[in-house]
Amino acid sequence: MINLADNLVRHIGILNRYMMRALDAEMTPLGIGAGRFRYLFMLYIGDGLTQQEIAFRLQADKAAVARTLAQMEKQDFVARRRDDGDKRLTRVYLTAKSRELRSHLELAVQRVIEHLTESLEPAHKTAVSLILQQMSDSLVTGYDVANTGK
């Protein structure tokens, strides 16, 4: 029988909550919540994604993504515009405000990563990263969890 107090799923869940709290502590002074920096990082990699592409990449509900983007637009972090070639699509773009914030956000995330891994030897950091990727891949293969169907 599974130990409900001490198992891998519980530890990963706790780690996720702690990381989000740490990220929130780092992001609050920058005026952006921990859950929203992921949107900006995605756009730093590829500006002009559609809302549907963002939802898929975040593995999030399309309606929740639309609500978050609306709030981020009000805060002047993103701008949403209709696609020139296909008016049915709405694309999301970085604003000058969010471009100026990039290096600060990257440093904030780096600080959390450093705290998270400070007690690990370099070889263990690499091993943990590989193991987590393998675990993700196993769930994708076994349950098709990467396809939200939303």
Side-chain angles (χ1 to χ4, degrees):
M1 187 167 243
I2 190 169
N3 181 343
L4 298 177
D6 185 25
N7 64 72
L8 186 60
V9 171
R10 183 172 185 276
H11 290 297
I12 291 171
I14 290 170
L15 177 61
N16 181 61
R17 283 192 296 281
Y18 289 173
M19 283 189 317
M20 293 308 289
R21 288 177 187 162
L23 285 165
D24 199 45
E26 289 284 348
M27 299 294 168
T28 297
L30 300 174
I32 190 159
R36 295 182 179 178
F37 83 93
R38 300 176 310 146
Y39 289 74
L40 295 180
F41 274 37
M42 196 175 308
L43 293 169
Y44 292 145
I45 294 167
D47 202 12
L49 295 172
T50 66
Q51 292 180 184
Q52 187 168 354
E53 289 168 332
I54 292 171
F56 180 77
R57 292 178 188 189
L58 291 177
Q59 293 295 288
D61 179 72
K62 286 188 265 186
V65 168
R67 285 190 301 273
T68 299
L69 289 172
Q71 293 167 352
M72 291 178 74
E73 191 172 31
K74 285 180 186 172
Q75 296 173 312
D76 194 35
F77 287 116
V78 298
R80 295 184 294 175
R81 296 191 298 269
R82 291 284 179 199
D83 184 277
D84 291 334
D86 185 346
K87 298 296 183 195
R88 297 173 296 173
L89 297 177
T90 299
R91 295 201 173 272
V92 182
Y93 297 93
L94 296 165
T95 62
K97 178 181 178 178
S98 58
R99 282 189 178 91
E100 292 171 8
L101 200 56
R102 181 177 179 164
S103 63
H104 300 287
L105 291 173
E106 288 176 352
L107 286 172
V109 171
Q110 185 60 41
R111 284 190 295 271
V112 172
I113 291 170
E114 287 170 2
H115 283 290
L116 178 68
T117 61
E118 68 188 359
S119 65
L120 299 178
E121 297 175 19
H124 291 160
K125 290 179 189 180
T126 301
V128 166
S129 183
L130 289 171
I131 290 166
L132 290 172
Q133 185 61 55
Q134 289 173 338
M135 291 167 67
S136 294
D137 292 346
S138 292
L139 289 177
V140 168
T141 302
Y143 294 98
D144 193 27
V145 293
N147 184 6
T148 61
K150 296 179 183 174

